[in-house]
Amino acid sequence: MITEEMHHRQQQLRDTFLAENAKLNLSAFRTPEACWTGNILDSLAALEVEPFRSLNLNPSPNPNPSPNPNPNPNPNPNLRFLDLGTGGGFPLLPLALELPHHTFVGMDATQKKISAVDRMVTALGITNVSLVCGRSEELARDSVHREQYDIVLCRAIAELNVLLELAAPFVKVGGIILCWKSLKIEQELRDSLLARSELSCQMEQTFEYDLGGTWGKRQILVFKKRAKTSNKYPREAGIPKKNPLK
Ligand code: SAH
């Protein structure tokens, strides 16, 4: 599905990230191989999840144009994505490169990480990404961000009950939250029942994938937000983690 040109762009991303990581300690994946599999391929696994499969990824010119071209070739124009807790730019940057017709925001509480991702975005000439530094509990109260996103991405942020409270306020009603997780999360799923009902987030599907070798299997959970988020949520910065909905 990924063209040769996009593969080359992902390799440029890997190399730019590794140069930043050597200075700043953004991630434990320090070798080209570890970064490729653990950051880039792991981020791109989302492209196989159902809502992404129907997006107009990176359309290549049709060699046999039909006499009656589809008047609406892109069924989902300009979806808005938020990567909550983007850290060193994952899954934000690999997905932004693959989905150039959609808009991405990367959010993180740590300025040095946001600055590093900003330098990477500039170095790679990526134009569909903007960045915001701050605590998500505070930014979720800002009308610029509250219920403004079609898809919220969360990788390695917190347990489900915490991350649903952080993520749900940003999602439009009918939008989705994607959570990257390991396979053994039965307890975490049980502990998230109250958060799911309080935040009207319904688990729609789980997508299992295999990164191969010693990386093994992982999954992406997809939650759909069914109703507006109560103004009670998120609670004050730090409270969702300190006192999770349970
Ligand atoms: N998503 C990245 C980084 C994971 S580390 C990856 O998978 O590689 C978790 C990141 O989330 C950290 O950079 C931390 O600063 C950020 N974070 C955690 N809680 C946050 C919050 N409430 N608001 C904003 N950023 C948060």
Side-chain angles (χ1 to χ4, degrees):
M1 184 204 297
I2 295 170
T3 63
E4 206 168 303
E5 191 204 323
M6 291 313 289
H7 191 261
H8 177 62
R9 297 279 283 154
Q10 297 290 351
Q11 285 176 328
Q12 287 179 321
L13 164 60
R14 175 197 62 194
D15 297 341
T16 311
F17 171 79
L18 287 172
E20 283 292 339
N21 200 30
K23 293 183 276 183
L24 277 175
N25 194 19
L26 296 167
S27 137
F29 300 142
R30 311 202 147 274
T31 64
E33 296 73 26
C35 179
W36 184 255
T37 307
N39 281 335
I40 293 182
L41 296 184
D42 192 48
S43 298
L44 295 180
L47 296 175
E48 300 297 323
V49 176
E50 193 42 56
F52 280 78
R53 287 163 67 96
S54 52
L55 294 184
N56 191 19
L57 289 175
N58 191 30
S60 48
N62 183 348
N64 300 310
S66 83
N68 267 328
N70 181 347
N72 182 14
N74 185 351
N76 293 305
N78 197 20
L79 291 179
R80 282 175 57 80
F81 288 74
L82 173 70
D83 186 12
L84 201 167
T86 192
F90 299 99
L92 174 74
L93 298 178
L95 290 174
L97 282 175
E98 297 299 323
L99 299 165
H101 307 295
H102 302 282
T103 303
F104 287 76
V105 173
M107 181 180 287
D108 204 282
T110 305
Q111 182 61 59
K112 81 163 192 182
K113 294 186 181 178
I114 288 293
S115 301
V117 177
D118 197 21
R119 286 193 294 274
M120 291 160 62
V121 164
T122 305
L124 293 162
I126 298 174
T127 55
N128 58 333
V129 168
S130 58
L131 298 161
V132 47
C133 183
R135 292 288 304 220
S136 70
E137 295 93 321
E138 283 153 16
L139 291 163
R141 298 262 163 218
D142 184 338
S143 60
V144 171
H145 296 292
R146 193 172 182 93
E147 302 199 312
Q148 295 300 311
Y149 295 91
D150 300 285
I151 302 183
V152 175
L153 312 167
C154 303
R155 193 183 83 153
I157 304 305
E159 297 230 327
L160 279 173
N161 49 11
V162 178
L163 78 79
L164 288 176
E165 181 172 354
L166 300 181
F170 291 104
V171 189
K172 296 175 184 172
V173 174
I176 59 170
I177 302 170
L178 260 56
C179 309
W180 275 247
K181 288 286 172 189
S182 62
L183 288 191
K184 292 211 164 22
I185 56 161
E186 292 81 7
Q187 185 65 42
E188 195 178 331
L189 278 170
R190 277 194 292 276
D191 289 345
S192 72
L193 286 171
L194 177 65
R196 284 191 251 169
S197 80
E198 273 290 287
L199 299 154
S200 304
C201 290
Q202 188 180 341
M203 195 160 78
E204 289 246 303
Q205 55 162 312
T206 57
F207 170 73
E208 206 177 296
Y209 59 100
D210 193 343
L211 289 177
T214 53
W215 295 92
K217 290 187 177 171
R218 287 135 196 260
Q219 61 182 334
I220 295 176
L221 309 182
V222 183
F223 292 89
K224 187 165 204 156
K225 177 163 142 176
R226 297 284 181 190
K228 219 165 173 306
T229 305
S230 158
N231 275 336
K232 283 193 285 186
Y233 300 116
R235 290 167 291 163
E236 297 274 294
I239 304 294
K241 190 159 192 180
K242 203 167 142 198
N243 184 15
L245 291 170
K246 225 191 245 194

